[in-house]
Amino acid sequence: MNKVSIMLAASASFLLVSCGQGDILFADKAVVNLSPVEGNPSAGYMDLHGGRLDVALVGVTSDDVLRMEMHETVEKDSMASMAKLKSIPVPAGKTVKLEPGGKHLMIWGVGEGSKKRGLLTMTLIYSNNDRIEINAVVKNVGEAAHAVE
Ligand SMILES: [Cu+2]
C-alpha cells in the first residue's frame, strides 16, 4: 500500500465513526409481546436512539393494528398503574428504552398477517416530522417464557 491509499483508508474509517451512533435518529430492538389473552392489549418495546437534535416521539402507527398508545408504568403507593403519554422525549445522542416496567407501547388488535409473518411494521412519528418505519419482532409471550426456562 502506498501512502495515498493508507490515508484514504484512514479517512474512510474516520467518516464511518463520525456518522455512527449519536448522530442518527433511529430505533432498534423492537419487539411486540403478544398478549396470551385474546382481546387484551399486547406490549411493544424498543430502543429509541436520539439524533443530532432533541426531538420527541409523538405517535406510532401501524396499518395492521386496531389501536396503539404510548404508556408509562408508574408506581404509586406500591401499586403499579399505567399512564397514557402524549409524547416521549428523545434527547440528542441519547438512548431511550421502552421496556417492561417503564415506557412502552400498548397495542390492541395485532393483525393475523403480522402474527403469521412474525413482524409488525410500524411508523414512528417524531416532533420534527421525521417518520421512521420499523419492523418489530412479534413474539408469543408463552414462547418467550418457555425459552427463558
Ligand atoms: Cu400500557
Side-chain angles (χ1 to χ4, degrees), residues 1-13:
M1 228 192 249
N2 60 34
K3 263 186 188 166
V4 173
S5 59
I6 290 169
M7 276 177 65
L8 283 176
S11 61
S13 61

Side-chain angles (χ1 to χ4, degrees), residues 16 39 43 52 68 91 96 103 117 131 138 144 146:
L16 283 177
R52 288 171 193 270
M68 189 146 46
V96 177
K103 296 183 176 77
R117 198 160 67 105
R131 281 162 190 260
V138 176
H146 196 76

Side-chain angles (χ1 to χ4, degrees), residues 22-109:
D23 282 0
I24 299 167
L25 189 65
F26 73 105
D28 61 6
K29 297 182 189 152
V31 295
V32 172
N33 286 343
L34 292 176
S35 168
V37 182
E38 190 71 37
N40 279 11
S42 303
Y45 307 111
M46 68 186 72
D47 287 357
L48 301 169
H49 300 277
R52 288 171 193 270
L53 304 170
D54 291 348
V55 296
L57 183 68
V58 295
V60 186
T61 63
S62 172
D63 289 342
D64 201 26
V65 305
L66 289 179
R67 192 163 109 238
M68 189 146 46
E69 292 179 357
M70 298 184 288
H71 279 192
E72 181 161 33
T73 302
V74 283
E75 209 172 305
K76 207 177 178 184
D77 305 327
S78 74
M79 291 267 288
S81 63
M82 292 191 294
K84 203 169 152 180
L85 298 173
K86 282 188 179 154
S87 67
I88 297 173
V90 184
K94 293 268 164 38
T95 297
V96 177
K97 285 179 177 288
L98 306 193
E99 58 191 355
K103 296 183 176 77
H104 59 275
L105 301 178
M106 205 96 271
I107 307 165
W108 285 263

